Amino acid sequence: MDVSIVIPTYNRLWCLPRAIESCKNTLCLTELIVVDDGSNDGTWEWLQQQSGIKSFYKKNQGQTYAINHGVTHATGKYIRFLDSDDFLTEGIIDKQFLAAEAQQADLVYSGIDIYDDATKTITKCPELKPWDDFLEVQLGAGYGSHFLAMLFKTEWVKKVPRRPDFAFREDRMFLLEYGLLEPKIAMIEGCGGYWVKHPNQMQANYRGWKAQVTNWQQLNIYKKILNSLLEQGKLTQARKNAACTVLWPLAHWIAQKHLEEAVEVANWIKELNPAFVIPNKGILKLIYKKLGFKTTEKILNTGRFFKNIWK
């Protein structure tokens, strides 16, 4: 088998057929693995009526477990992941497979575009350019494409299984841990797939404690990855600088609930990049520079407090 495609799904019968259809009609030998994570909307019954699909049903544990379950059944030389609400562009599987074989690449990537499911309109993402350093790109806040438009080497994927302890940010952890393996990368120009915008997206609906846990997981991912790179002597200044572009807004979000922890992140940013330039604009940037991170965040939190009272 050339390529395995793993699709985890949970109560997404409204879009799963579209995702599956986008994976068909390939020239290379592909296998489609769909893991139903305990759906109750008729997904499993529908899958039983389909041919040419390896279907697995498991009790609901979350997407992370569903993906890992699918990987254990993958027999392709390469593997790709596709959320059941997203879909691929025609021919991308063959193009990326041929590139991987020709260039002996461990990871092939393309760009993505955003598809609005309500309006059926497409928003073009920034033009993708060749990456010199995969980890630098993935550590930063810039456009790093999306795993749905990437092809991975299966034997490498099995070395870095999805992490349930980072369930809200497991996709980020996976890409960074895969990057630690130092894959040889190749790029195929154009759009590889569509990230679908709709009201029931997981991360778009993180509120309250889920948002706090997500921030905590994001922070600990960066601690683990940067420490690993430091131990290996591979934490370049470029990688530090890229990480700071993510850590700065993260510190701001954390400060809304946990100021002292946020101050620690802000201090860490200074250690990583002494020349770090505060990205905020206008008066807020001036306040950060004059009063410092902690005092500025206290002022912002006070403003939020009174704003909530006046609602």
Side-chain angles (χ1 to χ4, degrees):
M1 196 63 64
D2 296 321
V3 178
S4 300
I5 305 154
V6 175
I7 302 179
T9 190
Y10 176 68
N11 287 344
R12 292 269 175 85
L13 187 55
W14 64 271
C15 57
L16 177 61
R18 177 178 62 191
I20 290 174
E21 191 62 31
S22 74
C23 300
K24 294 182 176 180
N25 303 317
T26 61
L27 297 177
C28 64
L29 297 177
T30 63
E31 62 177 0
L32 189 55
I33 301 170
V34 180
V35 182
D36 182 358
D37 189 41
S39 298
N40 54 26
D41 65 344
T43 292
W44 182 244
E45 291 75 13
W46 180 83
L47 283 169
Q48 297 310 290
Q49 301 172 17
Q50 309 308 306
S51 60
I53 301 175
K54 287 185 176 181
S55 302
F56 301 93
Y57 181 89
K58 56 187 294 300
K59 292 183 179 179
N60 180 252
Q61 289 181 289
Q63 179 172 283
T64 304
Y65 289 95
I67 292 173
N68 287 339
H69 188 80
V71 170
T72 63
H73 294 279
T75 63
K77 182 177 181 180
Y78 301 95
I79 192 169
R80 68 183 314 127
F81 303 99
L82 181 64
D83 288 342
S84 54
D85 51 349
D86 300 329
F87 59 101
L88 303 177
T89 55
E90 184 177 356
I92 192 62
I93 297 173
D94 287 320
K95 291 177 183 177
Q96 291 188 338
F97 169 72
L98 291 174
E101 290 288 274
Q103 301 181 46
Q104 296 185 326
D106 309 302
L107 184 152
V108 183
Y109 64 96
S110 299
I112 63 162
D113 288 333
I114 299 173
Y115 179 83
D116 190 309
D117 202 66
T119 63
K120 312 304 180 188
T121 57
I122 295 173
T123 301
K124 295 286 185 180
C125 284
E127 181 182 351
L128 199 63
K129 298 180 179 179
W131 298 335
D132 294 325
D133 183 343
F134 178 78
L135 267 178
E136 180 187 339
V137 172
Q138 297 305 319
L139 283 168
Y143 177 53
S145 189
H146 191 284
F147 65 82
L148 77 90
M150 297 180 187
L151 184 73
F152 306 91
K153 186 166 285 185
T154 302
E155 63 179 287
W156 285 34
V157 167
K158 292 183 178 182
K159 295 178 182 178
V160 287
R162 301 300 179 102
R163 301 277 293 275
D165 48 330
F166 293 102
F168 291 153
R169 299 296 291 139
E170 56 87 16
D171 53 348
R172 177 58 38 200
M173 187 61 165
F174 166 71
L175 287 176
L176 291 174
E177 288 197 310
Y178 196 91
L180 289 178
L181 300 176
E182 298 187 327
K184 180 181 179 181
I185 61 177
M187 185 186 83
I188 293 294
E189 293 183 349
C191 177
Y194 297 97
W195 181 77
V196 178
K197 180 181 178 181
H198 61 87
N200 298 317
Q201 284 167 310
M202 290 170 53
Q203 293 184 16
N205 291 297
Y206 289 165
R207 300 288 187 275
W209 69 267
K210 282 188 176 181
Q212 293 185 49
V213 172
T214 301
N215 290 335
W216 180 87
Q217 290 182 353
Q218 179 87 321
L219 176 59
N220 278 276
I221 285 172
Y222 274 72
K223 286 181 178 179
K224 288 179 179 293
I225 297 299
L226 295 189
N227 284 338
S228 179
L229 288 170
L230 182 62
E231 291 171 358
Q232 298 174 44
K234 298 176 181 178
L235 185 54
T236 64
Q237 190 59 52
R239 289 173 174 178
K240 291 179 183 179
N241 295 349
C244 288
T245 64
V246 171
L247 292 174
W248 176 259
L250 183 61
H252 172 68
W253 295 329
I254 293 174
Q256 296 180 31
K257 297 291 183 180
H258 307 284
L259 182 57
E260 294 304 322
E261 288 85 346
V263 171
E264 292 179 4
V265 178
N267 290 336
W268 188 28
I269 291 171
K270 292 180 182 179
E271 293 175 12
L272 290 170
N273 181 10
F276 179 76
V277 177
I278 296 173
N280 301 87
K281 305 294 183 181
I283 187 67
L284 184 56
K285 182 173 185 175
L286 181 62
I287 294 174
Y288 272 120
K289 291 179 69 175
K290 294 292 184 180
L291 302 182
F293 178 84
K294 186 173 184 177
T295 301
T296 302
E297 291 298 335
K298 282 184 177 180
I299 294 172
L300 292 173
N301 285 341
T302 301
R304 294 187 194 98
F305 173 77
F306 284 108
K307 182 178 180 181
N308 289 333
I309 289 179
W310 294 332
K311 280 184 177 179

